[in-house]
Amino acid sequence: MRAQDSATDQRRIAVPARATTDRPAPRTATGHPAPHTATGHPAPRTAPHTPASPAPAPHAPTRRAQRLGTAQAALGVVAFSLTFPATAWGLEGIGPWSFVALRCLLAGLVAGGCLLALRVPVPPRAHWAALAVVGGGVVVGFPLLTSLALQTSSTAHAAVVVGLLPLTTAVFSVLRTGARPSRAFWAAALAGAAAVAGFTVRQSGGALSTADLYLFASLLVCAAGYTEGGRLARHMPGWQVIGWALVLCLPLNAVLAAVALPHEPFALTGHSTAGLLYAALGSQFLGLLVWYRGMAAIGIPKASQLQLAQPLLTLVWSVLLLGESLTPAAPLTAVAVLVCIAVTQRARE
């Protein structure tokens, strides 16, 4: 009896199993039988498979954006070329430490007012270190070192020494950002730097002075500030980069002004007032604004080579505004530098 009952039970179990397997298999949306899982049950229905489309590639800057970036960087160079004549005017009535502190304070207050009026949020902490480099190099370091140099150096001489800034900036950008410009780019950059250096040595008689040491130090700190500012300008607008750097340096410049003003001459003449206002607003704020926008658009190495024209423009301003005289080597250097600029702008990175 137990054997018969067991056989009956097996038949009872087998019947539902056959009934289950005899059911028509579910069909997919394409009409094909649906696949079964390891348990014998049909797999869940899914939508027809379509190949995933590849992610869109990032768009390269258009020619219009390249032209606009080049124009902005060039406008910044023009603004910077007037910095040394403006500083020379300012030093006629204001001491160097007081001049730098006041120009940074005025620019910082204007920048802070713009940031506050537009309710610009504070940058993330990840950008603070780079902003400190921008502030230390561009806001404080470069203006202070060049102002100290211009106490004993002519504007023309200082301009050609600072003509080495494009090559210094390109080297810093390679070390910091990993950019790899082409050989043609480096050849043109070195040729332009050699032309500027040769002009400088000829002007100074082959001997370096204390002013030259100040100027060479200013190259290093300014190149570091330009490089970090150019990197930040890819994440925030250029005016916010220099604006937050100026605001960050406000406490330091306030202390510097409080210490320097009682111990240095301070006379607001026509020249010193115009020089101070231009250095603070034209060069320190507006010039850096368009400069960083241009660097973000066309790249730090290419934008830095536009500065090869800066010392030559400064020479022109030194003649027109300060009455300084040029040497016969200036036109030849101008031609060589302009050729180098054309080559670097065409060289692909």
Side-chain angles (χ1 to χ4, degrees), residues 101-122:
L102 290 175
R103 70 178 273 187
C104 294
L105 275 176
L106 289 176
L109 291 175
V110 172
C114 293
L115 293 170
L116 185 62
L118 297 176
R119 298 180 179 180
V120 178
V122 178

Side-chain angles (χ1 to χ4, degrees), residues 23-37 41-49:
R23 292 178 183 176
R27 301 282 175 169
T28 62
T30 59
H32 298 286
H36 286 72
T37 62
H41 298 285
R45 295 181 181 181
T46 58
H49 174 70

